[in-house]
């Protein structure tokens, strides 16, 4: 399923053909898009099923819209 979606995306955006794409990359991309659109971090973490509120690594400052 991931390979099929990656192939479709690479057909639209050829620059993606050289990038590693995996389920964690999809999760991260979705989480970043939601964060950038204004959804709060706690909601995103709960939606993704994270048990802890604290991120496992230092997160960059929130990007302005």
């Amino acid at each position: 399923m991931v390979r099929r979606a990656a192939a479709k995306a690479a057909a639209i955006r050829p620059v993606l053909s050289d990038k590693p794409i995996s389920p964690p990359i999809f999760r991260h991309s979705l989480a970043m898009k939601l964060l950038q659109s204004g959804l709060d971090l706690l909601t995103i973490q709960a939606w993704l099923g994270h048990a802890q509120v604290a991120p496992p690594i230092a997160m960059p400052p929130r990007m302005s819209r």
Side-chain angles (χ1 to χ4, degrees), residues 5-49:
K8 248 185 205 181
I12 296 167
R13 304 241 185 231
V15 70
L16 294 175
S17 63
D18 295 336
K19 306 262 185 210
I21 299 178
S22 63
I25 298 291
F26 278 121
R27 282 176 57 90
H28 175 76
S29 297
L30 174 63
M32 290 303 298
K33 188 69 172 170
L34 292 172
L35 188 60
Q36 290 170 354
S37 69
L39 198 61
D40 69 290
L41 186 58
L42 294 176
T43 302
I44 295 169
Q45 287 177 327
W47 188 69
L48 292 175

